[in-house]
Amino acid sequence: MSKNLRESMFSELADKQLFEQAQTFAFDYADKALSRNVFPNEVAISQLQQFDEPLPEPRGNPAELIQQLHDYGSPASVSQIGGRYFGLVNGGVIPVALAARWLADFWDQNTPLYLSSPIASKLEEVTESWLKDLLGLPDKVVAGFVSGSSMAIFCGLAAARYRVYQNADWDVNQKGLRGAPPIRLVASRGAHATVIKAISLLGLGIDNIEWVESDSEGRIDASQIPKLDNSTILLLQAGNVNSGAFDDFESICEKANKAGAWIHIDGAFGLWAAGCRRLQHLTVGIEKANSWSVDGHKTLNTPYDNGVILCSDREALVQALHATGSYIAYSENRDGMLYTPEMSRRARVVELWATLKYLGKSGVDELVYGLHERALQFAEELTTAGFEVLNQVVFNQVLVKVGEATETEEMVKRIQNSGECWVGGAHWRGEPVIRVSVCSWATTETDINRSVAAFEVARDAK
Ligand SMILES: *Cc1c(COP(=O)(O)O)cnc(C)c1O
């Protein structure tokens, strides 16, 4: 590297101007984000062409680059930190968690090992124990801090795969899948797309799934679960991605435990119900599972990317995910890479730790219940306005329809284009629906009023 380039970077680090510039822009963004259109307008989208250029030969000007990002990037972002984005299951962001992330960004930690980051190792250890306490999981549970539920589910199923093959005296790490004894997968029709993806990534084969029908709310039909045994991985969910419904864990898990089956619960957004007194009835029995996946970045409103795999079988998780090498020095302390597929990772636990410490148990309770209350309000106001709500709103999800199928589909587009709020479409029990996910702390009663009004305008505009 030329002396000149290094010196530029030293001076950028020393004089802080770039960071002050970025901070000014970030604050400007935050001030506008609550009131602006939710999805970028057409001008903002067309100006994204500003980024179309070949990789330049000469070095760029750092201040200009940050300016470009703010001028053309900020307006083309989705206003995710405001209270009227109801797509996917997208949480907002808890301010102190964002501030903690800013600080930790300067640390630039890599967190595979205690020896690469004692602070990350400590916060992972503490957060792991807080999560067990909050969610009511057994003491022996270990946690891996990953990018999101897609990865957490992959990890849970990797641990399950290790264990059920081990039950059949087959070391899947060494021998692989060729010639392996059969194992079984049992999942409901309502299983999330990322569960299916994990099954294919792990070489278990989607065609090998023994499908179980779900009931009208999207819960697995317990009476149709086939006989289980210790070669079976059973997939349950806390929070159906469309309806928000929870499987009946208590009775299903008891049977599965007796049979020696491995139970994984996909609790991406719903597992947090266990930390909410008035919604805990939804998660009774979850402690009987073997692994759980959950996101910080949904219901808990941490910044992205924040997912957790929790597993009661430490040996299986570590066997499935660990790596060895002469330069990898494990320690007496917590070494995070034992519990994740990645080796290098940023210290994402900082945001989860900050969120939990800031909210405390009472704040988690309030946050989660607040999302539920706003979803109930949404459903009630929509019903009053003549829309049809198709699901029982047990958590934060509302499924809505209006008139014929094509009308519902067109309405989704009109609502999205209005900029007033953003909702997605989905198919529910064979028909198109408008799918509402209330997942941000920032959503107020007024945001719901305003969004319902946008629904009415979109309906009447046909
Ligand atoms: C969002 C979601 C996932 C995937 O989680 P990511 O964090 O987006 O990877 C899996 N299952 C359910 C039920 C979800 O809602």
Side-chain angles (χ1 to χ4, degrees), residues 89 147-151 153 192-195 237-241 266-269 295 297-298 306-307 435:
V89 192
S147 57
S149 279
S150 300
M151 194 45 83
I153 292 165
H192 193 267
T194 55
V195 170
Q237 66 183 350
N240 175 287
V241 76
D266 169 14
F269 62 95
D295 276 323
H297 55 225
K298 289 179 177 167
N306 231 295
R435 182 182 168 285

Side-chain angles (χ1 to χ4, degrees), residues 127-143 253 257 263 265 271 274 283 285-292 309-314:
T127 304
E128 175 185 86
S129 78
W130 286 359
L131 288 171
K132 287 188 273 187
D133 180 22
L134 181 71
L135 302 172
L137 301 181
D139 228 25
K140 63 180 177 187
V141 166
V142 292
C253 292
N257 283 167
I263 308 161
I265 298 179
L271 207 68
T283 56
I286 56 165
E287 71 286 350
K288 296 186 172 74
N290 304 76
S291 54
W292 306 259
I309 172 64
L310 295 146
C311 183
S312 67
D313 184 340
R314 180 183 187 277

Side-chain angles (χ1 to χ4, degrees), residues 392-413:
Q392 287 171 20
V393 182
V394 295
F395 201 55
N396 69 326
Q397 301 288 123
V398 188
L399 300 176
V400 193
K401 93 175 220 200
V402 58
E404 295 304 310
T406 49
E407 206 176 326
T408 299
E409 280 171 333
E410 278 161 24
M411 233 192 85
V412 170
K413 283 187 218 134

Side-chain angles (χ1 to χ4, degrees), residues 117-183:
S117 181
I119 173 61
S121 165
K122 173 53 76 181
L123 292 182
E124 287 196 354
E125 180 192 310
V126 170
T127 304
E128 175 185 86
S129 78
W130 286 359
L131 288 171
K132 287 188 273 187
D133 180 22
L134 181 71
L135 302 172
L137 301 181
D139 228 25
K140 63 180 177 187
V141 166
V142 292
F145 297 91
V146 294
S147 57
S149 279
S150 300
M151 194 45 83
I153 292 165
F154 173 83
C155 295
L157 297 195
R161 183 181 74 164
Y162 176 83
R163 181 55 68 209
V164 294
Y165 274 121
Q166 204 67 27
N167 290 344
D169 268 334
W170 184 266
D171 181 344
V172 72
N173 285 349
Q174 294 298 328
K175 298 184 179 167
L177 297 173
R178 196 176 308 161
I183 64 161

Side-chain angles (χ1 to χ4, degrees), residues 314-343:
R314 180 183 187 277
E315 189 198 40
L317 188 69
V318 171
Q319 284 296 328
L321 301 177
H322 82 298
T324 50
S326 63
Y327 76 109
I328 302 173
Y330 290 113
S331 72
E332 302 280 278
N333 298 287
R334 182 189 161 92
D335 293 308
M337 70 175 276
L338 290 173
Y339 315 100
T340 64
E342 305 108 311
M343 185 164 172

